[in-house]
Amino acid sequence: MIRKNKNALLVVDIQNDFCPGGKLAVAQGDEVIPIINRIMPRFDRVVGTQDWHPKDHESFAINHHNKHVYDTIDLYGIQQVLWPVHCVQGSKGADFHNDLNIDELDIIVRKGTHPHVDSYSTFQDNDKKLKTGLKGYLKGLDIEQVFIAGLATDYCVFYSAIDSIECGFETYVVIDACRGVGVPEGNIEQSLEQMRSKNVNIIHSENL
Ligand code: VGL
Ligand code: ZN
């Protein structure tokens, strides 16, 4: 399945704040780490990503009046779920989880740095304007296959997978190496369905 010299793995947001004990903890988020550590050496390129927000980021509920965590608002024309403060630039919560073998990462892409717009995808901001440069990096290496693992299934993994397809990559989500937020209810199942309908391959690490 993995095509020699043509593949990359995206390791999405394995950060303290998305793991148990963190500010936006994904249930069992840390369970994916041993799986990711095991599969990373099999790929030609491994890209690590970090959600990397300034304190005044407008995806934080606390930065809006009379709004609560998980409310949805219109943010400059884009639907935005409001989150607890998480992954603030330079904070412990934004660090990679200690158990992740970061020596395997070839590059690190940071996203969500602009206060007015969120960035779930590793490729671009939610308004699709500002790109991260990841597409050019992968195309420059003649990568054809993009495999994705990490947190969270229904947000950063989902949007990265959809954009990966859009960029023309054969795209695989290693589903046992992902965990989801599940907000709103049923979101994980719905994201899986949508990914499948866009030709994202949902696979298990043992079948790699
Ligand atoms: C994420 C919600 C807010 C993610 C990031 O990494 O999936 N989710 N920021
Ligand atoms: Zn975020």
Side-chain angles (χ1 to χ4, degrees):
M1 177 185 298
I2 303 182
R3 203 170 306 134
K4 215 165 171 262
N5 300 325
K6 299 288 180 194
N7 64 79
L9 175 69
L10 309 187
V11 176
V12 176
D13 296 2
I14 305 296
Q15 294 166 270
N16 292 322
D17 272 343
F18 294 123
C19 292
K23 303 263 178 51
L24 179 41
V26 175
Q28 285 100 41
D30 55 340
E31 288 180 3
V32 304
I33 300 170
I35 305 173
I36 291 172
N37 284 341
R38 182 156 44 77
I39 65 175
M40 281 193 290
R42 316 246 322 254
F43 294 89
D44 294 319
R45 298 283 166 162
V46 181
V47 178
T49 79
Q50 282 177 301
D51 212 31
W52 197 253
H53 299 308
K55 273 202 200 82
D56 60 350
H57 200 264
E58 292 184 41
S59 75
F60 299 163
I62 201 174
N63 291 329
H64 299 269
H65 288 294
N66 301 319
K67 293 290 171 195
H68 301 99
V69 165
Y70 302 137
D71 284 352
T72 301
I73 64 162
D74 181 294
L75 190 59
Y76 310 108
I78 298 170
Q79 286 258 93
Q80 175 69 50
V81 178
L82 295 178
W83 304 108
V85 173
H86 65 279
C87 297
V88 170
Q89 297 172 356
S91 69
K92 187 80 201 142
D95 278 353
F96 288 114
H97 190 288
N98 240 331
D99 295 342
L100 182 71
N101 183 10
I102 56 171
D103 292 349
E104 285 289 328
L105 304 179
D106 294 299
I107 64 159
I108 295 167
V109 174
R110 289 172 167 171
K111 61 187 177 59
T113 56
H114 194 292
H116 299 317
V117 61
D118 214 351
S119 186
Y120 296 139
S121 167
T122 309
F123 291 91
Q124 60 183 352
D125 284 346
N126 291 1
D127 64 5
K128 300 178 186 281
K129 285 185 188 138
L130 200 67
K131 313 290 172 187
T132 61
L134 180 61
K135 177 183 179 181
Y137 173 79
L138 296 172
K139 295 281 181 191
L141 294 166
D142 293 326
I143 299 291
E144 294 172 0
Q145 298 180 307
V146 171
F147 294 77
I148 308 176
L151 309 171
T153 315
D154 44 346
Y155 285 93
C156 292
V157 168
F158 172 77
Y159 284 95
S160 297
I162 298 297
D163 282 347
S164 173
I165 290 279
E166 198 83 0
C167 291
F169 298 114
E170 214 177 286
T171 304
Y172 299 82
V173 167
V174 187
I175 199 65
D176 54 315
C178 298
R179 294 290 183 279
V181 176
V183 172
E185 214 186 302
N187 202 34
I188 300 173
E189 296 72 18
Q190 212 187 312
S191 324
L192 280 174
E193 209 173 292
Q194 227 173 310
M195 287 193 282
R196 282 201 187 92
S197 78
K198 301 234 168 170
N199 290 327
V200 176
N201 301 283
I202 309 293
I203 61 163
H204 284 258
S205 60
E206 68 258 31
N207 297 323
L208 273 169

